[in-house]
Amino acid sequence: MPVQLSDAQRAVAALPIDRRIFLEGIAGTGKTTAAVARLEHLLRSGVPGNDILLVLPQRTLAAPYNTFLRRPTTPAGGEVDTVTIGGLGQRMIELYWPLVARQAGFAHPDRPPVFLTLETAQYFMARVVRPLLEAGYFDAVRVERNRLYSQILDNLNKAAVVGFDASEIGPRLKAAWLGESAQLRVYDEVQEAADRFRATCLANNLLDFSLQYEMFSRHLWPLRPCRQYLLARYRHLIIDNAEEDTPVSHDILAEWLPHATSALVVYDEGGGYRRFLGADPGSGYRLKALCQEQVRFEHSFVTSPAVQTLGRAMRRALRAKPGTVETAPVMGRRTSPVLAEELDFDAPAPSGVDRSGDPLPPIWDALEVEGRRYYHEMLDWVADRIAVLVHDEGVKPGQVAVVSPFVSGGLRFALENRLAVHGVPVRSHRPSRALREEPVTLCLLTWAALCHPGWRIRPAPFDISQALMLTIADMDLVRAQLLADIAYRTRDGIPTLTSFAEIEPAMQERITFLLGGRYEGLRTWIGAHTVPVDQTWDPPARVGLARGDRSRRRVELDHFLSRLFGELLSQPGYGFHGSYDAGEQTAKVIESARKFRQVMAASLGDRSAMTLGQEYIELVRDGVVAAQYVRSWQRQAEDAVLIAPAYTFLMSNMAVDHQFWLDVGASGWWERLNQPLTHPYILSRRWEPGHQWTDLEEHFARQEAMAELVIGLLHRCRRKIHLALSELSEAGSDQRGALLRTVQHVLRTERPAHL
């Protein structure tokens, strides 16, 4: 049904189609809804869809526009292109590659480019860094290899999106360092690894994200045919979440806007949560001066008056400075515009009333604080309180979010189990989680390794027991471990599973014949799809054909995983049947394996399926961080409590009635991630090269980040914030974090007079 628009939204949507508009406001004021209405107005005014370009900082933010464009009532007339600047750059590279490849330094300009995903980029980075590690590089830092690879790649990405040369990474980091001199050598090693990786890419026509960005910004956008093509093709621009985009993107858009027939720039005040990925809100705010119409939305459609009162109190406690744009080079100080008292959170209104003179509700209408001695007691309270909301107060589970600075596997497991006891559905979203940390991934790759003994990857008994527990419905860990100990054997140097019929009757009864029958189905399928050590072949669709009758076509890992899921794991009696989470994770692994195969085939020539499958599994075991999969962001459970890291929740652009903030006393709400090989503030355009990063800058950066996080969460809460505290952390240490001190200050100053 059509969305009801406010007068302000209708006014923006109906502005003449030859106007450039800058629309700003805090989260929840209906800016994106107005942008969708503007898009509809353009289409109904006769603007062809293929003349419109929708620019976003990440693809996952396109959901509201895609929903509108897929409606049967949407005006016809061409397809609206939805891109990120990086995605647009990739399109232009494919189109104009012969014109710029040699100039950009690629060794084989006559060959097509090979675009790397995050995962395949880590694979090639690993090939570059491993010899350095063997030579003693990076021995002064304690970081897992996958994080080492990703942080070096992150440095290259920062250089590309900020606009400085990749050769300046090490010198910039060294110039800002004030600590022990041993770290300076680490930065030199980071620079050498980045240089070697870049040389490998140029020698093999490989384009990671940083090279794609540089190719577009430095070689293609200045190229007259490319720029004329884009300016003539896309006459109307809609730019959403400009504050989350990068300085180089803003540079390109700033040059593009004066040539556009119309434009709408949507800016979220208080945003910039993707700063660790290069986002620069201050840079994005430059686009305002290039627009003829400048509009600000002030009314929130999300927060209740009580939440707004709580927001004012939190802002006062955090002591954030509103009003102006700070242009100091120190990134820890205010660098993004916070205009006109966000949601009146800083308004100097008379005590107890708002600007209209109406009484303000107390913060207690929007705040609940509960403390416990131990961490597990805190989780018990959270689960019990959510159960009361859902079962007794009629709150839909989908209107509850549980957020924390970090969501470990243990935390997710503990909460999911507790909520399951109460019959409350739950889902979790952790996009930066490594593939190997997902049990579904390990289950799939365990069976793949067992079916391909030629890979010389022998699954450990523990892996087999875990895979059995996930694969066979109703199989508990004890029976899975017992079955693995009995049935998992090595014959002629090849790991295999023995028949259930060969197990002693007493053990059969302990396992049960029902589970034994399902195990036999698994074992038979694996036996029919096991590839001989000296051959690669595609197993038959039906089990029971003689080995000599089997097709000898090459089998690919992604094809094998797809067949494993479809023919066995998703069937009744097996663990993935009816599990949307397992299906989603399986789809992610299959897509990851397919992209890996395609990139390897394009970059390294014809490789055997056996070798590629083995290399992929070893890559996952190294802890490769998963690439971004739009599917995992777009899938919304019908009605389930969300468990997610706080920043992930903010970047999902959603609002809920109730938020539970876990472990408010933890230092993670204030501290930055430990990144010894990179620095998001120093490798930014706002940082003055040569300036040193002191404790004062670190304090300002942490304080500002926590303030933005807290206020951002409040902007996305309709009814109530539930603060969960534990005196002792999960490890048993006292907790006195900065957010806890802020909350204590609010509780003291806002205490009712009669208490």
Side-chain angles (χ1 to χ4, degrees):
M1 58 182 299
V3 177
Q4 297 296 321
L5 301 177
S6 67
D7 292 340
Q9 290 171 325
R10 280 193 294 270
V12 168
L15 284 170
I17 61 173
D18 62 347
R19 307 296 288 173
R20 296 190 298 274
I21 310 160
F22 188 89
L23 175 59
E24 59 185 313
I26 64 167
T29 52
K31 302 184 300 300
T32 296
T33 301
V36 173
R38 176 66 173 178
L39 175 58
E40 181 177 10
H41 177 70
L42 292 175
L43 294 174
R44 295 195 183 280
S45 299
V47 176
N50 50 19
D51 281 1
I52 303 173
L53 185 67
L54 174 60
V55 182
L56 298 162
Q58 65 183 51
R59 295 177 300 160
T60 58
L61 297 172
Y65 300 94
N66 292 336
T67 300
F68 161 72
L69 292 171
R70 290 168 184 162
R71 291 176 185 166
T73 57
T74 299
E79 183 177 357
V80 176
D81 277 345
T82 303
V83 300
T84 64
I85 291 297
L88 182 64
Q90 181 172 331
R91 294 186 188 183
M92 295 302 101
I93 291 170
E94 291 177 325
L95 188 60
Y96 292 97
W97 172 258
L99 297 182
V100 295
R102 188 178 302 277
Q103 177 186 356
F106 287 93
H108 306 286
D110 55 327
R111 301 177 187 174
V114 178
F115 297 100
L116 302 180
T117 66
L118 174 60
E119 293 160 1
T120 52
Q122 288 178 81
Y123 171 79
F124 283 102
M125 179 62 75
R127 294 179 60 172
V128 168
V129 172
R130 280 170 187 160
L132 298 179
L133 293 174
E134 293 171 0
Y137 281 55
F138 304 109
D139 57 357
V141 295
R142 295 293 179 264
V143 60
E144 293 185 4
R145 286 197 176 192
N146 62 308
R147 297 299 175 186
L148 188 150
Y149 305 150
S150 63
Q151 287 184 34
I152 298 173
L153 287 171
D154 184 62
N155 286 333
L156 287 165
N157 295 343
K158 290 288 197 314
V161 302
V162 172
F164 62 88
D165 194 83
S167 62
E168 299 177 22
I169 294 170
R172 283 180 176 238
L173 292 171
K174 290 173 64 177
W177 179 250
L178 279 176
E180 296 180 0
S181 59
Q183 184 67 21
L184 299 178
R185 181 170 64 87
V186 172
Y187 291 145
D188 287 333
E189 294 167 350
V190 166
Q191 184 66 65
E192 183 173 349
D195 292 342
R196 291 193 180 195
F197 176 78
R198 177 59 59 85
T200 298
C201 290
L202 293 175
N204 296 278
N205 284 18
L206 305 176
L207 285 89
D208 67 322
F209 176 82
S210 65
L211 260 179
Q212 293 175 40
Y213 231 84
E214 287 186 13
M215 282 278 288
F216 181 55
S217 62
R218 298 183 184 182
H219 300 285
L220 288 170
W221 177 249
L223 190 68
R224 184 179 180 86
C226 177
R227 183 182 293 212
Q228 286 184 337
Y229 167 77
L230 290 173
L231 297 180
R233 170 71 187 277
Y234 301 111
R235 303 293 302 164
H236 302 267
L237 301 178
I238 296 179
I239 305 165
D240 203 347
N241 288 107
E243 80 288 342
E244 299 291 346
D245 223 325
T246 65
V248 169
S249 294
H250 297 144
D251 294 342
I252 293 172
L253 294 172
E255 296 178 11
W256 197 331
L257 279 172
H259 300 277
T261 301
S262 79
L264 172 61
V265 181
V266 179
Y267 185 94
D268 194 351
E269 295 174 9
Y273 306 117
R274 299 172 74 252
R275 183 176 285 125
F276 64 96
L277 296 176
D280 192 332
S283 172
Y285 206 68
R286 294 180 294 140
L287 303 179
K288 180 176 182 178
L290 302 173
C291 297
Q292 303 138 325
E293 305 284 347
Q294 299 173 359
V295 183
R296 185 172 187 270
F297 283 177
E298 298 186 4
H299 172 70
S300 175
F301 294 97
V302 173
T303 54
S304 65
V307 174
Q308 295 178 32
T309 303
L310 175 61
R312 293 185 184 92
M314 292 295 289
R315 285 292 293 237
R316 287 193 293 269
L318 291 164
R319 299 178 181 177
K321 296 181 180 180
T324 60
V325 180
E326 181 78 35
T327 57
V330 179
M331 285 299 298
R333 298 167 188 163
R334 173 65 62 183
T335 58
S336 59
V338 181
L339 305 177
E341 303 129 3
E342 296 177 358
L343 196 60
D344 292 335
F345 277 6
D346 302 286
S351 176
V353 299
D354 65 12
R355 285 173 173 261
S356 65
D358 296 328
L360 288 171
I363 66 168
W364 312 105
D365 290 351
L367 180 65
E368 180 180 26
V369 182
E370 190 68 24
R372 291 289 188 270
R373 172 68 173 171
Y374 298 107
Y375 188 84
H376 69 89
E377 294 177 339
M378 177 193 70
L379 297 183
D380 290 338
W381 175 81
V382 170
D384 294 342
R385 188 69 181 91
I386 292 175
V388 170
L389 289 174
V390 172
H391 297 309
D392 299 340
E393 300 182 22
V395 176
K396 294 182 177 180
Q399 289 301 320
V400 179
V402 181
V403 299
S404 180
F406 313 104
V407 177
S408 65
L411 172 59
R412 183 182 69 165
F413 179 79
L415 268 180
E416 286 180 346
N417 281 354
R418 284 169 167 81
L419 291 171
V421 170
H422 292 289
V424 177
V426 62
R427 63 188 179 96
S428 62
H429 184 37
R430 293 179 294 167
S432 62
R433 182 173 169 87
L435 285 173
R436 72 176 180 185
E437 297 177 15
E438 294 291 346
V440 169
T441 302
L442 298 180
C443 173
L444 293 168
L445 299 186
T446 294
W447 299 138
L450 198 63
C451 288
H452 297 82
W455 293 349
R456 308 297 179 188
I457 300 175
R458 180 178 178 179
F462 175 79
D463 295 334
I464 294 293
S465 64
Q466 293 291 315
L468 285 171
M469 184 176 66
L470 287 176
T471 299
I472 300 175
D474 304 321
M475 174 75 78
D476 58 76
L477 181 58
V478 174
R479 288 185 174 89
Q481 185 67 58
L482 182 64
L483 185 57
D485 291 341
I486 297 172
Y488 184 45
R489 292 286 181 266
T490 300
R491 294 177 178 174
D492 300 327
I494 298 176
T496 185
L497 296 175
T498 61
S499 171
F500 188 74
E502 299 178 18
I503 300 176
E504 295 180 359
M507 292 300 178
Q508 289 179 340
E509 291 181 4
R510 287 189 62 182
I511 296 169
T512 76
F513 288 95
L514 175 63
L515 299 182
R518 293 170 181 172
Y519 164 76
E520 273 300 295
L522 167 67
R523 190 190 67 83
T524 303
W525 192 94
I526 289 176
H529 292 74
T530 297
V531 180
V533 175
D534 58 343
Q535 300 178 22
T536 60
W537 45 269
D538 191 15
R542 292 176 293 127
V543 175
L545 296 182
R547 185 176 299 272
D549 295 333
R550 292 170 174 161
S551 168
R552 295 289 173 170
R553 290 185 298 109
R554 188 172 71 177
V555 62
E556 309 290 356
L557 176 60
D558 50 311
H559 298 166
F560 171 85
L561 295 175
S562 180
R563 178 171 290 174
L564 172 63
F565 176 80
E567 295 179 1
L568 183 75
L569 299 179
S570 63
Q571 299 303 310
Y574 293 93
F576 292 11
H577 179 69
S579 173
Y580 292 103
D581 287 332
E584 178 189 334
Q585 184 62 28
T586 300
K588 184 185 297 186
V589 176
I590 292 173
E591 183 178 349
S592 171
R594 184 181 69 251
K595 290 181 177 178
F596 179 82
R597 170 176 57 84
Q598 293 170 342
V599 169
M600 294 301 106
S603 60
L604 302 178
D606 189 25
R607 302 284 296 275
S608 73
M610 300 272 290
T611 304
L612 288 181
Q614 178 181 359
E615 290 183 352
Y616 179 78
I617 290 183
E618 291 175 350
L619 177 68
V620 173
R621 286 185 169 185
D622 276 349
V624 59
V625 177
Q628 183 184 83
Y629 295 91
V630 177
R631 178 188 300 107
S632 62
W633 288 81
Q634 290 180 341
R635 184 185 70 85
Q636 300 291 330
E638 287 292 328
D639 213 3
V641 174
L642 172 66
I643 302 173
Y647 279 106
T648 299
F649 177 78
L650 290 179
M651 290 189 290
S652 67
N653 251 5
M654 65 179 295
V656 294
D657 290 347
H658 294 265
Q659 292 178 12
F660 285 78
W661 299 4
L662 289 186
D663 212 10
V664 173
S667 59
W669 290 94
W670 190 67
E671 293 180 350
R672 293 191 300 112
L673 285 172
N674 179 32
Q675 294 180 300
L677 307 182
T678 186
H679 201 294
Y681 293 95
I682 293 171
L683 300 181
S684 70
R685 186 171 292 185
R686 293 286 178 172
W687 184 260
E688 181 180 331
H691 193 88
Q692 292 183 318
W693 184 262
T694 65
D695 290 342
L696 181 63
E697 276 78 19
E698 182 69 25
H699 174 83
F700 275 126
R702 293 182 178 188
Q703 188 71 14
E704 180 185 34
M706 186 179 72
E708 290 175 347
L709 175 62
V710 167
I711 299 305
L713 290 172
L714 287 167
H715 286 166
R716 291 161 176 83
C717 180
R718 296 189 181 93
R719 294 174 55 187
K720 203 159 196 173
I721 299 291
H722 307 262
L723 302 182
L725 315 174
S726 67
E727 294 182 25
L728 301 178
S729 69
E730 192 174 9
S733 58
D734 289 335
Q735 302 210 92
R736 304 179 185 277
L739 180 56
L740 176 60
R741 295 194 296 271
T742 301
V743 171
Q744 289 172 334
H745 177 79
V746 170
L747 296 180
R748 285 195 301 267
T749 57
E750 302 295 327
R751 179 179 299 173
H754 64 278
L755 295 180

